[in-house]
């Protein structure tokens, strides 16, 4: 089976930097995704890592270490609109191609002025 | 143009009824999915489907059945609805092995009374 852990809730200050960690255990790893979800809305895609290292995309960066089963999402220059849940999700290869994502329970990020 | 659209947005129905949720994607993606998000906001895959195979999460009751008339549509049919089926159901699509993420529909909030 798969197991994905991330903190339940984090608080940060507007303008600061926050790092949201995610650890996972899976077989047939084939990529790790980060999603943002505002209350009452659909999850929206933020980043994808399949090889070790850092992927940067504007204010958001994501890091992956496959040997450690570890990823983090780094958010810089925090804005009030970044208050949302951040979901870590893993894709595992089953051989068929129609593989969905297994999600962690999400980290609720609260941004304070 | 909406990339992944699902209808209805809200559905209130009585226990024991049969209902369907429709989903359509205009992204040309190969694979479509259904996810369930419960009251604790945990997002869990129910089905994934491309033109080659249907993968069913073993925890999904057989009262739930996906129906795909063509590559752009994956509808969800639910028989004999129960109180515990109340949740938000998200449709999603992706390219097979795509790195661009999975695109989610806006969700259907199902309430069984």
């Amino acid at each position: 089976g798969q197991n994905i852990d991330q903190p339940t809730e984090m608080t940060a200050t507007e303008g600061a930097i926050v790092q949201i960690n995610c650890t996972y255990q899976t077989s047939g790893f084939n990529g790790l995704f980060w999603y943002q979800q505002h209350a009452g809305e659909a999850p929206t895609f933020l980043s994808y890592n399949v090889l070790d290292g850092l992927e940067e995309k504007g204010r958001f960066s994501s890091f992956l270490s496959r040997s450690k089963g570890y990823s983090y999402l780094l958010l810089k220059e925090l804005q009030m609109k970044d208050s949302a849940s951040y979901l870590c999700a893993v894709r595992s290869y089953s051989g068929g191609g129609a593989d969905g994502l297994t999600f962690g329970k999400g980290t609720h990020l609260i941004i304070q002025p | 143009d909406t990339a992944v659209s699902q209808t209805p947005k809200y559905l209130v129905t009585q226990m024991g009824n049969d209902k369907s949720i429709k989903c359509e994607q205009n992204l040309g993606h190969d694979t479509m999915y259904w996810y369930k998000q419960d009251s604790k906001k945990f997002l869990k895959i129910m089905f994934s489907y491309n033109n080659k195979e249907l993968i069913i999460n073993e925890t999904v009751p057989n009262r739930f059945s996906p129906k795909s008339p063509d590559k752009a549509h994956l509808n969800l049919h639910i028989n004999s609805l129960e109180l515990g089926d109340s949740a938000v159901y998200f449709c999603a699509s992706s390219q097979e092995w795509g790195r661009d993420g999975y695109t989610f529909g806006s969700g259907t909030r199902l309430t069984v009374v």
Side-chain angles (χ1 to χ4, degrees):
Chain A
Q2 299 176 353
N3 190 39
I4 302 173
D5 287 315
Q6 52 183 128
T8 304
E9 187 173 284
M10 298 181 70
T11 303
T13 304
E14 190 177 13
I17 299 173
V18 71
Q19 177 174 311
I20 303 174
N21 295 325
C22 171
T23 58
Y24 65 89
Q25 294 171 314
T26 187
S27 55
F29 175 82
N30 192 29
L32 187 142
F33 296 77
W34 283 95
Y35 278 80
Q36 180 190 63
Q37 187 177 26
H38 286 99
E41 298 183 10
T44 55
F45 170 69
L46 291 178
S47 70
Y48 167 75
N49 296 72
V50 69
L51 299 176
D52 291 351
L54 189 68
E55 293 278 345
E56 297 187 78
K57 208 187 251 189
R59 294 190 299 116
F60 292 15
S61 303
S62 58
F63 172 83
L64 176 67
S65 169
R66 289 171 295 169
S67 62
K68 295 182 180 177
Y70 168 69
S71 174
Y72 67 71
L73 179 71
L74 192 71
L75 293 77
K76 303 176 186 175
E77 301 169 18
L78 286 168
Q79 302 174 10
M80 297 302 291
K81 67 178 183 179
D82 296 330
S83 291
S85 286
Y86 291 84
L87 309 175
C88 174
V90 170
R91 179 172 62 193
S92 296
Y93 179 72
S94 70
D99 295 317
L101 298 176
T102 299
F103 283 86
K105 295 190 176 181
T107 298
H108 184 211
L109 178 63
I110 301 167
I111 308 299
Q112 296 177 333
Chain B
D1 280 346
T2 303
V4 180
S5 60
Q6 52 181 113
T7 55
K9 190 168 178 64
Y10 300 97
L11 182 55
V12 181
T13 188
Q14 290 186 326
M15 282 176 55
N17 284 351
D18 302 339
K19 289 294 178 185
S20 292
I21 306 173
K22 295 184 177 181
C23 179
E24 175 182 4
Q25 55 97 3
N26 62 6
L27 298 167
H29 283 167
D30 301 315
T31 309
M32 296 183 73
Y33 313 83
W34 278 104
Y35 285 83
K36 177 181 180 181
Q37 191 166 42
D38 60 25
S39 57
K40 295 183 179 178
K41 309 301 181 188
F42 185 33
L43 197 60
K44 195 169 182 181
I45 190 165
M46 301 175 69
F47 303 101
S48 59
Y49 181 76
N50 62 20
N51 59 0
K52 301 168 197 165
E53 66 177 332
L54 170 68
I55 299 177
I56 303 171
N57 185 314
E58 61 188 12
T59 65
V60 176
N62 58 14
R63 298 182 293 105
F64 290 78
S65 56
K67 298 187 190 303
S68 180
D70 56 55
K71 185 179 163 182
H73 297 82
L74 184 67
N75 304 324
L76 182 65
H77 190 76
I78 316 168
N79 290 327
S80 304
L81 277 156
E82 300 178 357
L83 293 176
D85 298 333
S86 296
V88 180
Y89 292 85
F90 287 100
C91 177
S93 71
S94 74
Q95 285 287 34
E96 190 172 338
W97 307 127
R99 63 167 290 128
D100 294 328
Y102 294 58
T103 304
F104 283 80
S106 57
T108 296
R109 181 173 293 278
L110 172 66
T111 303
V112 182
V113 298

